[in-house]
Amino acid sequence: MTDAPLTHLRTLVDRLRSERRLSADGYKALLLCADAGVCEYLHEQARQVAVERFGQRIFIRGLIEISNACRNNCLYCGLRAMNRKLRRYTLSQSEILDCCRAGYRLGFRTFVLQSGEDKRGDNTWYVKLVEAIRREFPDCAITLSLGEKPPFLYRRLYQAGANRYLLRHETHNAAHYRQLHTAHMSQQHRLDCLVQLKEIGYQTGTGIMVGTPGQTVDHLVEDIEYIRAFRPEMIGIGPFIPPADTPFADQPAGSVGMTLKLLSLFRLMHPAALIPATTALATLAPNGRQQGILAGANVVMPNLSPPETRAQYAIYNNKASLGAESAEGLALLARELNDIGYRIAYERGDYQQEPSPCNNE
Ligand code: SAH
Ligand code: SF4
C-alpha cells in the first residue's frame, strides 16, 4: 500500500474526532483498514477522548446473572430454550440481595441484573426485587438487562427505582436479524423497546456482537448509523463467541481487531458514552480487557453472581468469570488497570449529558 491511502485514513480519524461523524464510505474504509499504524492511531485518538473526559479511571459495575431461563431461541446464544443440555436456575430475591450486599462491601455502586427472557408470568416479582434493592441501596444505580418486556413493566420497574437498561439491538439489518433469530422474534419489536426505554427516562444501552454469522462490513456501517441516530448512553460491543449445543457451535468467533476498531469509532462519535470492555473481549483475548480500555472503553463489569451458578450462565463457552473478571478479584483488576496507567472509579458513574454547543449562546 502507498502512503497516500494511509494518510487519507488518518485524516478520516481526525475528522471523526472533530466532527463526530463520517460518511458511510468513511466508516467502511476504517473498518476495512488492516494497517497496524492506522489502527493504533485510531485507538490513540479514542483513548485521548476518553481520558480527557473521564481521566484514567474505569467505572465498575457488578453483574448479577439472575436467571438462565429463556423462552427465546436466538441462534447465537447458549441460553436459548432449545438448548436442553443446560441446567436452568433462577436466583431468589434473597440470593440476589446477598450478591448486592457482597458487592456493596467490595465497593460496587452499580448492580446490573441480567437474565434470559424468562417465562415468568408474574411480573410483580421483578418490581418487588427492584424495590427491595432500591430500599436497601439508595445510593446505588440499578441497571437491568432482562430483554424485551411490555412497556408498562419497563415503566413500573423505572418507578420502582431502576435507572438504566441494556438491550443490544444485535443487528440493524433486517435480513441479518432473520439469520440470527427464529421467525417469532421481531426486530421491530426490539427497536420499539429501545425507544420506549429512552422515553421512560432510562439511561439506555444498545449495541451489537461483532462477527455473528452472516455479518458484513456494510451491516456494521448500518449499525454505526443506527447507534449514532439513537444516541444511547451506553454502548455494548463484544465479539461473538460460538456456544456449544447451538446452531452456531461450529462458526468462527468474531474478530478482536474489529471489535477494538468499533470501540474506538464509538468513543470518537460519542465522547460521553459509557462503553464497557466486555467480558466476551476478555474471554477471547488474554489481555482483551486492557486492549478494550486502550481503545477507548471506560467501564468493566466484574461478575458478582454466586460462584456456583456462573458456569450455568453459559451464553457462550469458557466465559471469563474468575480472576479480574470476578467481583472477588477486584485487587487483580486494579493491578491490571494499574499496569496500563488506569485505576478503578468506585462512584456510580451515571451518564453525564454532553454540554450542548447551543448552551454557550
Ligand atoms: N436476554 C437478554 C440479556 C441476556 S443476553 C437479551 O437478550 O437482551 C446479553 C447479550 O449477550 C446479548 O444481547 C448478546 O449480544 C450477548 N450474547 C449472546 N450470545 C452471545 C455469544 N454467543 N457471544 C457473545 N455475546 C453473546
Ligand atoms: Fe435469551 Fe437473550 Fe440468549 Fe436471546 S440472547 S436466547 S433472549 S438470553
Side-chain angles (χ1 to χ4, degrees):
M1 214 188 262
T2 65
D3 283 345
L6 294 183
T7 312
H8 171 63
L9 289 169
R10 282 174 188 252
T11 311
L12 286 178
V13 174
D14 294 338
R15 188 179 316 148
L16 187 58
R17 181 168 178 176
S18 60
E19 296 173 16
R20 299 188 186 170
R21 74 181 300 180
L22 293 175
S23 66
D25 284 345
Y27 296 129
K28 194 167 173 178
L30 288 179
L31 293 176
L32 288 172
C33 169
D35 180 81
V38 173
C39 291
E40 184 40 43
Y41 184 67
L42 171 66
H43 300 324
E44 191 183 290
Q45 296 302 306
R47 188 156 73 229
Q48 280 178 16
V49 166
V51 170
E52 267 170 21
R53 189 166 293 257
F54 302 101
Q56 287 179 301
R57 296 159 66 254
I58 302 298
F59 295 115
I60 50 168
R61 317 311 197 186
L63 176 65
I64 308 174
E65 297 158 332
I66 65 176
S67 171
N68 68 355
C70 190
R71 62 184 171 163
N72 286 331
N73 272 297
C74 306
L75 274 72
Y76 46 78
C77 177
L79 304 192
R80 65 200 305 269
M82 282 170 73
N83 181 3
R84 309 264 181 241
K85 292 220 175 133
L86 194 65
R87 202 149 45 87
R88 305 286 169 167
Y89 74 88
T90 298
L91 300 182
S92 65
Q93 177 174 307
S94 74
E95 287 172 315
I96 296 167
L97 282 168
D98 280 345
C99 295
C100 296
R101 288 176 193 128
Y104 194 89
R105 279 194 297 274
L106 289 164
F108 287 90
R109 294 296 178 268
T110 292
F111 303 120
V112 181
L113 310 183
Q114 194 181 76
S115 73
E117 257 181 54
D118 71 3
K119 307 171 195 146
R120 197 195 316 265
D122 176 19
N123 287 324
T124 55
W125 186 88
Y126 289 111
V127 178
K128 286 186 184 141
L129 172 65
V130 170
E131 280 170 352
I133 300 176
R134 175 51 62 236
R135 231 184 347 263
E136 189 167 335
F137 303 98
D139 54 334
C140 292
I142 302 174
T143 303
L144 302 177
S145 176
L146 309 173
E148 297 169 41
K149 301 284 177 199
F152 80 87
L153 183 58
Y154 284 153
R155 207 165 300 112
R156 282 192 63 193
L157 291 167
Y158 186 76
Q159 286 159 355
N163 312 94
R164 311 180 188 143
Y165 206 105
L166 303 175
L167 187 76
R168 291 183 180 176
H169 70 285
E170 315 294 5
T171 175
H172 195 258
N173 181 274
H176 187 222
Y177 181 91
R178 290 263 64 86
Q179 276 179 272
L180 301 181
H181 300 92
T182 51
H184 87 280
M185 294 183 73
S186 152
Q187 181 187 43
Q188 193 54 52
H189 186 260
R190 199 158 180 97
L191 298 176
D192 289 346
C193 284
L194 280 161
V195 172
Q196 287 150 11
L197 289 163
K198 220 170 200 242
E199 277 174 6
I200 291 167
Y202 283 98
Q203 293 168 50
T204 305
T206 193
I208 56 166
M209 285 166 283
V210 178
T212 40
Q215 187 181 64
T216 66
V217 173
D218 288 314
H219 295 157
L220 291 173
V221 172
E222 275 186 58
D223 290 316
I224 291 172
E225 290 186 328
Y226 165 71
I227 290 177
R228 182 178 180 281
F230 185 68
R231 297 171 59 84
E233 283 81 18
M234 300 166 290
I235 306 173
I237 307 293
F240 163 70
I241 303 180
D245 306 309
T246 66
F248 291 161
D250 298 325
Q251 296 289 323
S255 145
V256 169
M258 185 62 94
T259 304
L260 294 172
K261 274 196 277 191
L262 283 158
L263 289 178
S264 294
L265 288 175
F266 284 120
R267 171 59 66 212
L268 293 175
M269 297 172 72
H270 303 266
L274 295 153
I275 303 181
T278 55
T279 304
L281 188 57
T283 301
L284 213 52
N287 54 354
R289 198 176 11 256
Q290 291 169 318
Q291 290 190 62
I293 290 164
L294 294 174
N298 66 332
V299 173
V300 294
M301 295 169 62
N303 200 315
L304 257 186
S305 309
E308 54 282 10
T309 58
R310 283 183 202 173
Q312 281 162 265
Y313 198 79
I315 288 184
Y316 46 82
N317 299 87
N318 307 317
K319 188 159 68 66
S321 65
L322 302 173
E325 200 60 42
S326 69
E328 325 76 82
L330 271 191
L332 188 59
L333 175 66
R335 268 203 300 283
E336 258 189 26
L337 295 181
N338 187 48
D339 286 347
I340 53 170
Y342 286 72
R343 63 192 164 84
I344 293 174
Y346 283 95
E347 63 262 33
R348 263 174 68 136
D350 284 293
Y351 179 83
Q352 304 291 327
Q353 193 72 42
E354 298 233 25
S356 150
C358 311
N359 292 346
N360 301 330
E361 287 175 5

